[in-house]
Amino acid sequence: MERTDQRNMTPARLRRTAGPATVEPVPALLADGVLTEELALAMPEGARVAVANYTIPPGGSLPWHYHEGRVVAVVTAGVLTRTLADGSECVTPAGGCIVEPVGPRGVHMAENREPDPLHIIALFFLAQGSPMSTRAEPPEAVAYG
């Protein structure tokens, strides 16, 4: 049997197992990163789970936004630069994993400042009916009280 690197498999490709008519599906590995932040996750039963694949071209960005639930993302190619509500910047290269802040106080933006496309796979844990993200004003225009 030919050995195949599972990272390059697509969901439609299958691997034969011991037995003449048995076929085992091989999952496609979409993202693989190292978690460097604590992940607190308490979700009610019936929570929405969504997976998104982002491609940001060189010089492109995601506008100021926030998430109403927990988001964990892996940078699969390129370098992600996030600007947080306090003005600090977080740079995450390929293979890095981020945990997004929750709620309006966690407003942030994402940029690709590199010459190559940026690819991110994000896993969202949200309450039913919540959007994946909500656009927001830049933090200097937001009054926190």
Side-chain angles (χ1 to χ4, degrees):
M1 176 191 334
E2 179 182 313
R3 295 185 66 106
T4 305
D5 182 349
Q6 290 186 10
R7 292 175 293 180
N8 295 323
M9 299 293 287
T10 63
R13 300 227 12 215
L14 301 174
R15 177 178 60 204
R16 293 203 180 277
T17 59
T22 306
V23 178
E24 176 185 337
V26 178
L29 180 61
L30 299 178
D32 190 354
V34 176
L35 188 64
T36 58
E37 303 174 45
E38 183 177 334
L39 175 60
L41 185 62
M43 294 299 299
E45 186 175 333
R48 175 179 174 212
V49 178
V51 179
N53 182 14
Y54 292 89
T55 299
I56 303 173
S61 65
L62 297 177
W64 287 97
H65 65 280
Y66 64 89
H67 307 284
E68 295 178 17
R70 181 63 63 203
V71 178
V72 180
V74 177
V75 177
T76 59
V79 178
L80 168 65
T81 301
R82 292 181 299 150
T83 304
L84 306 180
D86 65 2
S88 64
E89 289 187 346
C90 298
V91 177
T92 307
C97 184
I98 61 170
V99 178
E100 295 281 31
V102 176
R105 291 180 183 257
V107 66
H108 58 280
M109 69 170 296
E111 297 177 273
N112 180 3
R113 298 179 181 172
E114 302 297 318
D116 297 314
L118 168 62
H119 297 276
I120 303 165
I121 303 244
L123 179 61
F124 295 77
F125 299 92
L126 304 163
Q128 287 288 335
S130 293
M132 289 178 23
S133 64
T134 301
R135 285 203 177 188
E137 295 295 319
E140 55 272 3
V142 176
Y144 295 114

